[in-house]
Amino acid sequence: MRVLLGVTGGIAAYKVALVLRRLVEDGHSVRVAPTAASLNFVGRATWEALSGHPAPTETFEDVPSVAHVRLGQSADVVLVAPATADFLSQMASGAARDLLGNALLATEAPVVVAPAMHTEMWNDPATRANVAALRERGIHVIEPAVGRLTGPDSGPGRLPEPDDLVSALYGVARGEGLSLTDASLPWGDLAGRRVLVTAGGTREPIDAVRYLGNHSTGLQGFAIAEAARERGAEVTVVAANVTLPLGEGISRVDVSSAEELERAVGELAPAADAVVMAAAVADFRPASASASKLKKDGSAGMTLELVQTPDVLAGLVASRAPGQVVVGFAAETGDDAGSVLEHGAAKARRKGADLLVVNQVGDGLGFGASDNSVTMLDAAGAPVAEAGGSKLAVAGAVLDAIVKRLPAP
Ligand code: CTP
């Protein structure tokens, strides 16, 4: 089949190189027409090398072959990916500012358009009107995927994965139309699932100004939340003293002490398909907290009486709904009594969570570090998976393990 691949000026253009490679591997003849702006993201050499053909941009390149008409006429199917808001506007108005604009007017082949942009731009009434006008004309506009966008925000606006774009294109080429236009169906293996994540470290008040705390930054929990969102889940984070921003489209409940965290989790957990207890919850709190600042008494020392906090994870395991996946974390240092994994396995059996994610902390490992290395254990303490690398990579592996344990929707 002869495919015309239009590439416009969005960062997601890099994903389209994989679309091109897949189409060529599948035996199709692909001509690429990048817009001038898109060459800021992926250079012409990439398109030419992968397609084996020139990749002209302007109407006045290759004039003798009347490329602006021929390109469109000789295509069996057209894919524009990524399509920017500006390009959608150009298409909707029928403008032919560059080679791709001309080719789109000249073609009679089915056209598939995959917009990618920030959520606000996608939701803007002007963009909505342009998309509606294109669909009215029979152009197949793919709903953007929901997930991480450029920068810290996430939401609808992401270019679907290359294989999904190729499947959509083949469906249209076979005359089956587009099956991926329903905005209520976000893509990803966690679509339709609710995931609750706790992150950060609790603070247990000693007096009006002091607390008992720990070094947890919330980085790993936030990475899990963002990765889950990216995979289509509806995500809520209970954040204990975390100063980091969270991507858009994720609900956030801020708490400070173990007691507050327990209350928030108690309210939110029943509705969740998976609960990930990544927060470092204090095991002890001062028996009483002074409402005013405690004062030194001469040179005398001081003894703080501590009492145990509720074990939130144990409570979750005991009260979980059938099918709910409960995940605990165990930050271990290892000691004379046992290695990191031995302590982890004993904890897995004690806590009974579906998964216990064990990592070694101390000596620059774990808290606050950008990388992590974990072993996941089942409720019997047996290792089921290992993961290492960035906290986002570890998040992906934890979610893979969760997805395997979720009952079919
Ligand atoms: N946890 C919890 N409530 C607590 C303490 C811990 O829910 N009061 C959860 C943590 O969020 C984590 C898991 O339990 O997912 C393991 O936390 P950790 O502090 O390592 O376990 P402990 O129960 O404190 O075990 P130990 O004292 O033996 O280290």
Side-chain angles (χ1 to χ4, degrees), residues 28-364:
H28 305 295
S29 161
V30 188
R31 297 291 176 138
V32 185
T35 62
S38 79
L39 299 178
N40 288 311
F41 296 101
V42 176
R44 197 191 302 274
T46 300
W47 305 123
E48 295 190 338
L50 289 176
S51 71
H53 296 286
T57 300
E58 301 302 334
T59 315
F60 298 102
E61 287 174 56
D62 194 14
V63 171
S65 71
V66 203
H68 71 288
V69 179
R70 190 180 40 79
L71 259 188
Q73 282 173 339
S74 58
D76 298 312
V77 66
V78 181
L79 172 65
V80 182
T84 60
D86 180 61
F87 197 79
L88 293 176
S89 151
Q90 183 183 329
M91 269 185 93
S93 70
R97 283 187 219 127
D98 47 21
L99 187 60
L100 179 58
N102 277 279
L104 284 166
L105 288 181
T107 193
E108 288 182 351
V111 177
V112 179
V113 175
M117 62 198 72
H118 277 271
T119 306
E120 293 81 352
M121 297 172 80
W122 175 245
N123 288 335
D124 186 273
T127 306
R128 308 304 320 150
N130 290 331
V131 168
L134 293 173
R135 285 186 172 147
E136 185 94 332
R137 274 180 233 154
I139 289 172
H140 304 276
V141 183
I142 299 183
E143 282 295 317
V146 176
R148 183 77 182 261
L149 304 170
T150 317
D153 45 345
S154 60
R158 206 175 132 89
L159 189 72
E161 295 311 307
D163 280 349
D164 293 327
L165 288 175
V166 172
S167 307
L169 185 71
Y170 288 173
V172 168
R174 283 194 301 266
E176 292 163 8
L178 201 58
S179 53
L180 304 166
T181 49
D182 188 347
S184 65
L185 289 175
W187 300 20
D189 54 4
L190 284 168
R193 308 286 195 172
R194 290 193 186 148
V195 176
L196 175 65
V197 182
T198 66
T202 63
R203 293 179 181 175
E204 311 305 321
I206 296 171
D207 66 13
V209 294
R210 304 180 180 96
Y211 60 83
L212 291 176
N214 60 66
H215 291 299
S216 177
T217 55
L219 273 171
Q220 184 63 74
F222 274 33
I224 290 171
E226 297 197 341
R229 180 78 189 114
E230 203 160 300
R231 288 163 72 157
E234 195 180 306
V235 183
T236 303
V237 173
V238 175
N241 308 296
V242 186
T243 48
L244 302 166
L246 250 185
E248 269 179 32
I250 299 178
S251 310
R252 174 176 186 149
V253 178
D254 286 296
V255 297
S256 184
S257 65
E259 203 185 336
E260 286 172 21
L261 184 137
E262 186 195 30
R263 208 174 312 129
V265 169
E267 275 168 28
L268 295 162
D273 296 294
V275 184
V276 182
M277 285 291 299
V281 185
D283 292 326
F284 300 96
R285 66 172 171 78
S288 62
S290 165
S292 53
K293 188 179 170 196
L294 293 173
K295 294 289 186 190
K296 278 200 292 283
D297 182 8
S299 59
M302 174 182 155
T303 304
L304 266 182
E305 191 197 341
L306 302 179
V307 293
Q308 281 203 19
T309 55
D311 190 325
V312 184
L313 182 61
L316 278 170
V317 169
S319 66
R320 77 185 132 178
Q324 186 182 56
V325 177
V326 177
V327 182
F329 270 68
E332 302 287 347
T333 57
D335 55 23
D336 294 344
S339 67
V340 167
L341 269 189
E342 284 163 350
H343 281 301
K347 191 171 287 183
R349 289 189 286 270
R350 206 166 59 238
K351 298 254 181 184
D354 299 289
L355 280 172
L356 189 74
V357 184
V358 183
N359 68 328
Q360 187 169 1
V361 291
D363 265 352

